[in-house]
Amino acid sequence: MCKEKFINPFTGFGFKRLFGSEANKDILINFLNSVIEDEEIVEITYLNVEKLGQIESDRKAIYDLYCKTEKGHHIIVEMQKAWQVHFIDRTIFYSARAIDDAAKKGDWDFALPKIYVIALLNFTPSEFADEPGYKHILRLCDISTGQEFSRKLNYIFLEIKKFDKSIDELESLTDKWMHVIKNLDNFESYPTVLQEKIFKKFFEEARISAFTPEEQFAYEESLKVMRDNNNVLASAEIKGRKEGHEEEKIRFARELKALNVSIDKISQASGLTIEEIEKL
């Protein structure tokens, strides 16, 4: 049984329950309006999260959430819990599938709706490693002038891991959403400092004690999958560090060997055995 009072939104069950159900559409709309700065969303329609290509052999994209606004704009929402190789490339691929999906069939003048890809990241991509802010908005632009070329394609990356404001330091609605998403399963009760009614509903939907037995089981299974995945990723990261350290020792030993340093001294300096050095 869970000891936490509220669900972990990084689980598949938790994220879909809070943001991906018709009953909680208002929660998703409020969150989207907090991060999309160039328009206000009034209504959304949930779309099929699995998008195929034009032919059977095309690779498919599976989104966490996919919806369309009342103005016809398409929005993909992704919750990425841990580092993934080529994540930015995957994000671009997903946006391409959304563009293809938005294209009208038959006679069409190529007028596109806006496409938004919103990624909640619990890690820092290398592309943003040197940037202090937690929110990044990317669009097409002229690199020589910095002038925007088009607002039809929008990428919004939110680094949850980099967000470190306390509850007393929250200023914007985006700040509040980042704080509750990052800390939801650590709350003991609803924080009254969050005055907006939408957060009261959010916490009620997240309260584990209100789950049916079936929902409790589904959440426990989702939590187990998340923890198993976290353990696999953590083990891979440790292995990667060890392998990287070993490669560094080998490189160092080769450099010393090229300088005709004695094998005994190379062994002492690098930590490699004499046999390992002789094979280099």
Side-chain angles (χ1 to χ4, degrees):
M1 292 292 291
C2 295
K3 296 181 180 179
E4 296 82 10
K5 299 289 182 65
F6 302 99
I7 57 177
N8 189 318
F10 295 100
T11 61
F13 176 91
F15 187 69
K16 293 291 176 63
R17 178 184 178 89
L18 295 170
F19 295 102
S21 68
E22 194 71 27
N24 293 333
K25 185 188 291 186
D26 54 339
I27 292 177
L28 178 60
I29 290 174
N30 189 280
F31 168 73
L32 293 176
N33 280 325
S34 78
V35 299
I36 295 175
E37 300 178 355
D38 59 344
E39 69 172 279
E40 182 179 3
I41 297 167
V42 177
E43 182 59 69
I44 59 169
T45 301
Y46 288 106
L47 302 176
N48 182 8
V49 296
E50 183 174 303
K51 299 316 256 181
L52 299 172
Q54 295 290 342
I55 58 177
E56 187 176 354
S57 61
D58 282 354
R59 194 176 297 274
K60 65 183 178 181
I62 302 177
Y63 316 130
D64 285 337
L65 289 178
Y66 186 33
C67 60
K68 182 169 66 173
T69 74
E70 76 283 358
K71 295 179 182 178
H73 302 320
H74 288 230
I75 302 175
I76 297 167
V77 184
E78 283 288 299
M79 170 73 85
Q80 189 63 34
K81 295 169 276 294
W83 177 86
Q84 184 182 77
V85 64
H86 304 312
F87 175 75
I88 299 298
D89 288 353
R90 192 187 80 169
T91 304
I92 295 171
F93 170 74
Y94 277 14
S95 67
R97 277 286 180 262
I99 292 172
D100 182 65
D101 187 52
K104 295 180 180 179
K105 304 301 182 284
D107 291 336
W108 177 46
D109 61 1
F110 294 97
L112 284 171
K114 289 182 180 178
I115 305 293
Y116 294 92
V117 182
I118 300 172
L120 286 153
L121 309 178
N122 202 27
F123 68 99
T124 296
S126 58
E127 291 84 354
F128 305 136
D130 298 326
E131 298 186 25
Y134 71 85
K135 183 178 181 179
H136 314 282
I137 301 177
L138 289 78
R139 299 189 181 103
L140 297 175
C141 73
D142 184 332
I143 60 172
S144 63
T145 63
Q147 184 175 352
E148 284 187 352
F149 173 69
S150 172
R151 286 201 169 198
K152 290 297 179 73
L153 190 55
N154 304 267
Y155 300 97
I156 303 175
F157 296 96
L158 301 167
E159 292 186 70
I160 297 172
K161 187 175 182 180
K162 198 178 284 183
F163 185 82
D164 58 0
K165 291 185 179 181
S166 69
I167 198 164
D168 297 323
E169 297 172 323
L170 305 180
E171 298 173 337
S172 65
L173 187 59
T174 312
D175 282 354
K176 293 177 181 180
W177 275 117
M178 293 292 285
H179 184 81
V180 298
I181 291 172
K182 182 174 183 176
N183 300 291
L184 181 59
D185 59 331
N186 293 320
F187 281 107
E188 288 294 321
S189 61
Y190 170 69
T192 55
V193 68
L194 301 174
Q195 297 297 321
E196 292 84 354
K197 290 182 180 179
I198 198 68
F199 288 115
K200 293 181 180 179
K201 178 179 181 178
F202 182 81
F203 273 82
E204 283 304 312
E205 289 295 324
R207 191 181 300 278
I208 296 173
S209 61
F211 287 4
T212 65
E214 292 78 12
E215 290 170 337
Q216 178 74 42
F217 176 79
Y219 175 58
E220 291 283 356
E221 289 298 302
S222 187
L223 197 61
K224 181 178 181 297
V225 169
M226 185 197 73
R227 288 169 176 166
D228 287 346
N229 288 340
N230 287 346
N231 287 335
V232 170
L233 290 168
S235 299
E237 185 177 355
I238 292 171
K239 181 181 179 183
R241 287 175 183 167
K242 288 181 178 179
E243 290 176 349
H245 182 60
E246 189 69 19
E247 290 175 1
E248 181 64 21
K249 289 196 298 183
I250 292 172
R251 184 192 64 78
F252 179 54
R254 281 181 174 151
E255 290 177 354
L256 294 179
K257 195 173 183 181
L259 295 172
N260 295 319
V261 177
S262 70
I263 291 181
D264 287 340
K265 289 183 178 180
I266 295 175
S267 178
Q268 292 175 8
S270 67
L272 297 176
T273 66
I274 292 175
E275 290 77 13
E276 289 173 329
I277 296 168
E278 288 176 340
K279 292 177 182 179
L280 296 179

